[in-house]
Each structure stands twice: as C-alpha cells, then as structure tokens.
C-alpha cells in the first residue's frame, strides 16, 4: 500500500514535471527566448507591441551608441539578466492579459534604471540638470529633475512623452 502510494505520487510528479518542462520549453522556443539573452535590439521587436519603440530607436541619435540594454538594464551580469527576466515576465503577463498601457510606459524600477543610464553616459552634463535654472517649468521646488522628464522621447518616438503622465509615473 505504502509503495503503491509512493509510486502513484512519483508518476504524478513525473507527469507534472514533464508538462512544466514541455510547456516551458515550447514557450521558450516559440517566444524566441534565446534572442533575449543577447544585446541585439531586434529581440525587443519580437513582441509586436514594441515595434514603435524599436523603429524609434533605429531613427534616434542613440542608435549609433546604445542598445536597448544599455538604457533599460543595469550594469552587471546578474542585475542585467534579473531585470530582463522581470521585464520579460511582466511583458508576457500584460501582453497575455491585454492590460498593457498604450503607449507602453516604464515601470518605476525601470525608470530608475534608465535614469541611471542617462546620468552615467552623460555625466559631463548631469551637473547642469542637477541644478535647473530658477523657474524651470518641469520641476517643482524640492523635486529632483529627472532626465526623462524632458527627454523621454530621445530614444523612442514622439508621443510617448506626455509630461503629466511622466509626473504621475514618477510620483508612484
């Protein structure tokens, strides 16, 4: 009796594991999962909702000097792939449920990653934006100016730069 129960549980566990590996493998291949392990920006366009962002990047000034990962993942192997995995999960979730915002927007953690990338690459001019001139229309007193507040369409097409929406996202 005890042996039959163990055998039954082993078979159920084996089937569950087989289904999980099979579905996971199919999803990985179908979604071109290996392409996301590289730095090729074309991988971002695997998901058709990112075509506008991909086309915008191809036409932008950043095309010659930065890839998607340069701006949207933190430095370091582990943080980079953790961020990519997290983004992939949430992209899949929002795309599958049809609840993605249009236009696509950065989550707060991704906004900070991108802000850090801006400041790293443009360190020589960051001091100028750290102390905006008095009366700067995009900044309220005591608020730190963020690169994306004014320059959020640098790497992507115009139209995603709604200042009211950006302030709303920053305050989340």
């Amino acid at each position: 009796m005890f042996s039959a129960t163990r055998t039954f549980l082993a078979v159920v566990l084996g089937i569950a594991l087989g289904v999980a590996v099979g579905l996971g493998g199919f999803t990985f291949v179908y979604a071109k999962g290996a392409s996301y392990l590289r730095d090729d920006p074309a991988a971002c366009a695997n998901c058709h909702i990112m075509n506008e962002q991909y086309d915008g990047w191809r036409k932008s000034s950043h095309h010659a000097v930065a890839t998607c990962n340069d701006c949207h993942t933190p430095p370091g192997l582990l943080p980079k792939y953790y961020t990519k995995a997290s983004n992939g999960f949430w992209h899949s979730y929002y795309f599958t449920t049809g609840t993605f915002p249009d236009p696509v927007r950065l989550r707060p953690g991704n906004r900070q990653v991108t802000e850090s990338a801006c400041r790293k690459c443009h360190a020589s001019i960051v001091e100028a934006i750290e102390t905006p001139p008095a009366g700067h229309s995009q900044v309220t007193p005591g608020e730190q100016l963020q690169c994306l507040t004014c320059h959020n369409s640098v790497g992507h097409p115009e139209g995603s730069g709604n200042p009211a929406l950006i302030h709303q996202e920053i305050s989340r």
Side-chain angles (χ1 to χ4, degrees):
M1 174 83 175
F2 181 72
S3 179
T5 302
R6 292 181 84 181
T7 301
F8 175 75
L9 290 175
V11 169
V12 169
L13 181 63
I15 290 171
L17 186 62
V19 168
V21 169
L23 285 175
F26 172 78
T27 302
F28 186 80
V29 171
Y30 181 77
K32 303 174 187 173
S35 67
Y36 295 104
L37 301 175
R38 300 176 295 171
D39 285 330
D40 183 1
C44 296
N46 285 348
C47 180
H48 68 85
I49 63 170
M50 297 301 290
N51 284 341
E52 184 180 357
Q53 286 72 25
Y54 178 66
D55 288 341
W57 168 80
R58 289 181 3 174
K59 297 172 186 168
S60 77
S61 59
H62 283 83
H63 177 257
V65 294
T67 66
C68 303
N69 286 329
D70 292 325
C71 298
H72 296 293
T73 61
L77 196 62
L78 191 58
K80 174 182 175 179
Y81 284 103
Y82 172 78
T83 300
K84 288 178 73 114
S86 174
N87 288 342
F89 171 80
W90 287 110
H91 288 179
S92 298
Y93 174 79
Y94 291 132
F95 182 72
T96 301
T97 60
T99 57
F100 57 89
D102 188 21
V104 175
R105 295 189 302 267
L106 292 170
R107 292 181 298 134
N110 292 94
R111 175 170 292 283
Q112 186 57 45
V113 167
T114 303
E115 180 74 18
S116 295
C118 294
R119 291 172 181 271
K120 178 184 169 196
C121 292
H122 301 284
S124 62
I125 60 171
V126 165
E127 287 185 30
I129 63 172
E130 290 288 355
T131 54
H136 194 284
S137 63
Q138 298 296 324
V139 180
T140 57
E143 179 186 19
Q144 181 184 22
L145 183 61
Q146 295 191 2
C147 304
L148 297 175
T149 302
C150 300
H151 304 282
N152 72 335
S153 62
V154 167
H156 301 294
E158 296 287 339
S160 60
N162 180 337
L165 184 60
I166 292 166
H167 278 287
Q168 181 184 14
E169 290 177 357
I170 290 171
S171 64
R172 281 196 291 172

